[in-house]
Amino acid sequence: MRPGAATVGAVHGAALLLSLAGLGATLWYGVAEPGNALAFGSLVALGELARWGASPDEREPAPLAAAGALAYALLGTSGGTATTHGVLQIVAVVVAAGLAGIVPHIARGRGPGRDHLARRVLTVGFAALCFQPLYNSGALVEHLGQSPPYALFLLLLLVLTALCDAVLAALLLRARTGFPYGPLLRDELRALLGIGSAVCATGSVMALGVAAAGLWALPVLAVPLLLTQVSFRRYAAVRTVNRQTIASLARATEIAGCTPPGHARRVAALSAAVGRELGLSGAELTVLEHAALMHDIGQLSLVDPVAGGATALLPSGEQRRIALLGGEVVRRTGVPEAVALVVERQADPYREQPLPARIVRAVNAYDDLAGGDGPVAALDALERLRLATARDYHPDVVECLARVLARGGAAGVTSAPTG
Amino acid sequence: MGVKVIPRAARVYIGCALLGAGACALPALRPGAAIPWSTVALLAALYALCELPARCRLLGRGLGGSVPMGTGSFFPVLLAAALLLPPSAAALTALPGSLLARVDEPPAAPRRAWRAAATALAVWAAAHAAGALDSAEALGHGPDVPDFPYALLPAGAAALTFCLVLTALDGGIRAAADGLPPRAAWCGLLGRALAPHTVHGLAGLMMAVLWRSAYGPVSALFVLLPMYISCWVFAQYHRERAAHQATIRALVQAVDIKDRYTRGHSERVGHASVLIARELGMPEDRLDVVRFAGILHDVGKLGVPTRVLRKDGPLTPEERRIIELHPEYGHEMVRGIGFLGDARAAILHHHERMDGSGYPYGLHGDEIPEFARVVAVADAFDAMTSTRSYSRARPVPTAVAELERCAGTHFDPRMVAALVSALHRHGWQPAVTADTADDPAPSAEHVPPPREPLPVQPKEHA
């Protein structure tokens, strides 16, 4: 069993338990204010339906559903009259509507991941638990009234909910990948500024809008959020295209016979894993990944290809020349300057290098030396990197690489001594 | 756009708009007018705050189809003002934002003045439309619940009026400043603007309702956050798009590193391919694909050893065979780039000939994808009209005659005819070749590479 399996199991189990409790209680006691439940339920179902075309790694593929679910969790008054629905009913409605909305997607084999569903249930439960008992007991209206502080209180709750969601997401990711928790959480928190904040704002504005204007506020507010979703989609699509183009550029060296097949991709994946382990996140990781993909591009300028494409075996002067040529090409591509810098500096002695260049250097050398020839070659390659830590490879990076490999972070190695 | 010196007609037009805007706003400044000044000030400040950073980020990027979304993302504030305030006061709220926001092109002062006047007039008209439909009662007040399906009516009327007035005024300034005929100036403006304004209208309505509700103006601000985010995302989108075009260019430049004599060739083939495709009446989105096909058609040369590409002297059959692999290499490289679509097939088949004597597959006639036939003609045309180290540039008429001679056997006659009529219409700037200028020792490539369409060269294989 993988070490993270217990965490994943606990999160999924909690979500399942909460859903079952909600559905059971709602079936047993009946639905309070069925009109509201139906309206919000339809919104959530529609929002889930509207996730077509979402790429699997999108952060929030169904923002409308998320916003609708949060709004229902924070719904106190509806068109001036107080509501009485409780936490369990909210969970039940969100779960039932969500399931109804994703059935067509599952039928086409493109359903959302279980992590995503579990997170949705738990965060909605969290928001409802923070709000409904306070509201239903009357304490909230007594202290804040139906006034601006009430609106701010809703916003505060949503911020808390978003934080809770980020913590949960980072926890699940850590359990699945084994990367350190800090950078993952930082990534998640940074992502909140994007679609996360739009979801939160729309959730609170829906709750307030329904409080002030009744259920008509829902369709009126859903339209602007759909617009936001569309523009996020387009943005995501262009990002995908950029990644694909950079990957193609990276494959150019393979097709030209300069490097062995899959080299650029392997170096990129392994560099990203090492970078994460060393605490890089967000934009820094992207720079590292792109630089790793394109690190061999300078070889295109050579009149004769290097034997086997393994630059790590060349004299250092030649390595640096190829690196400089590569930096020149990358500089023209319009990817951030930082990427070109990493490509350019990849062959320098590690003391003069920035961290991403150190990573690319070590990982590239590892892949060149190991050549994907099974565990013996891999161990041998690591040993040779360790022997060259005086000048060429940063000792910490090499040890980190060994740790990542030991964990099975890349193919070829199942275990390696850590020192 | 790009008017550096403003024509007289446009000056007069802007002057009239300013006078009109002044006349609209004047009643608010009269003593005794019952104006809720705090609301006016709040909304005006809000609009100015929203527009400032957004415009700084957005402009300077593509105008084009993005205008309605790009420059008007915060119209909900103005529409909320139109619903909440009397017309003259609503017109005032538009002024600070429009005056402060950045201008992308000189001259700045008249552009700012024009924008302020047009926006103020549009808000004023929208407020009148809303007022005529009793928006004030429909919005509710404090604990009173707004009158909901009815409230959609004044909001819709306000948004529609705002949109109509703004597009009419914009069309007018385009006609006056750029000297376009009025029909061309208005053409398409309204269709593009309607959908975004409907969304703005809905957001504006919600802002107005919340502003009036017991939760106060603070809650109305929440409506703006999703709008602001979608605006930000939109700016990101443009940045990434620019980066992506640069990446495509980088692929081309990587080819240039290996094969210097083709410098500029890829871009010109892309241009010529678009000329042909436009002549054939292809829709706009297909034109992009054709352009990519033209630009990237030789990307597979990256896979050909540099020594072979730059070889001095005749190619051996073996070397020729290696060069003829480049369409397949190219296809293999761009296979993973989803948005290229049919351009990928064009890259694979741009050396096929109509009589089946081309490569790599020896396809005949209609078996060859349409884009590949377009690119083949464009490629041959540019190869003939630009100076290469092994041959001088031919004049355009000679090249055209050569293309027409080979139409039917090598090239699709339809594509050749399209190119000819496009050349008549738009002309052609043959390559001002920098190929040899910065390349002191040009590799004397006297063997035309396989792209050279002329039947001078013996066929190696069928």
Side-chain angles (χ1 to χ4, degrees), chain B residues 152-241:
Chain B
L152 288 172
L153 190 66
L160 188 68
T161 316
F162 186 81
C163 173
L164 283 176
V165 172
L166 210 55
T167 44
L169 287 171
D170 271 347
I173 192 78
R174 283 174 67 173
D178 298 348
L180 294 174
R183 250 184 76 87
W186 268 293
C187 175
L189 273 186
L190 189 62
R192 257 185 318 198
L194 261 181
H197 280 93
T198 315
V199 177
H200 294 327
L202 291 176
L205 170 64
M206 244 12 253
M207 266 193 86
V209 165
L210 284 172
W211 193 285
R212 280 278 178 84
S213 74
Y215 306 105
V218 178
S219 57
L221 287 184
F222 295 0
V223 181
L224 279 182
L225 195 54
M227 301 306 273
Y228 194 85
I229 288 164
S230 77
C231 184
W232 175 78
V233 172
F234 202 72
Q236 294 285 325
Y237 165 75
H238 275 291
R239 226 174 53 195
E240 290 271 333
R241 222 177 113 89

Side-chain angles (χ1 to χ4, degrees), chain A residues 2-3 176-179 269-270 273-274 277 366 382 400-416 418:
Chain A
R2 286 182 62 116
R176 291 212 180 275
T177 58
F179 292 130
L270 205 48
V274 172
E277 187 83 14
Y366 167 79
L382 268 182
C400 185
L401 172 64
R403 275 203 303 280
V404 170
L405 290 170
R407 224 190 291 125
V413 175
T414 47
S415 69
T418 42

Side-chain angles (χ1 to χ4, degrees), chain A residues 77 79-80 145-152 154-155 193-195 197-199 201-202 204-205 208-214 216-217 219-221 223-225 227-228 231-235 238-239 241-242 244-249 251-252 255-258 297 299-305 325 329 332-335, chain B residues 69 143-146 148-149 152 198-200 202-203 205-206 209-210 213-220 222-223 225-227 229-234 236-241 243-251 253-254 256-258 300 302-307 310 329-339:
Chain A
T77 322
Q146 306 285 2
S147 59
Y150 180 87
L152 291 177
L154 285 194
L155 197 64
L193 290 180
I195 190 113
S197 54
V199 167
T202 313
S204 56
V205 91
L208 287 174
V210 172
W216 274 97
V220 172
L221 283 169
V223 175
L225 190 62
L227 188 79
T228 314
S231 45
F232 262 95
R233 279 287 154 75
R234 280 168 64 174
Y235 175 46
V238 175
R239 286 194 69 131
V241 162
N242 270 355
Q244 289 173 342
T245 317
I246 286 175
S248 291
L249 199 56
R251 269 226 307 280
I255 289 165
C258 297
I297 211 141
Q299 291 195 40
L300 289 176
S301 319
L302 303 180
V303 175
D304 285 311
L325 287 170
V329 178
R332 289 186 226 159
T333 63
V335 292
Chain B
M69 172 70 206
D144 292 342
V145 179
F148 238 105
L152 288 172
T198 315
V199 177
H200 294 327
L202 291 176
L205 170 64
M206 244 12 253
V209 165
L210 284 172
S213 74
Y215 306 105
V218 178
S219 57
F222 295 0
V223 181
L225 195 54
M227 301 306 273
I229 288 164
S230 77
C231 184
W232 175 78
V233 172
F234 202 72
Q236 294 285 325
Y237 165 75
H238 275 291
R239 226 174 53 195
E240 290 271 333
R241 222 177 113 89
H244 136 215
Q245 273 156 2
T247 322
I248 298 263
R249 276 203 300 280
L251 273 172
Q253 272 168 341
D256 284 356
I257 290 177
K258 300 195 66 155
L302 281 175
V304 179
T306 314
R307 190 165 288 288
R310 296 194 191 162
Y329 285 148
H331 182 250
E332 175 61 26
M333 274 187 61
V334 299
R335 210 170 31 120
I337 310 184
F339 79 100

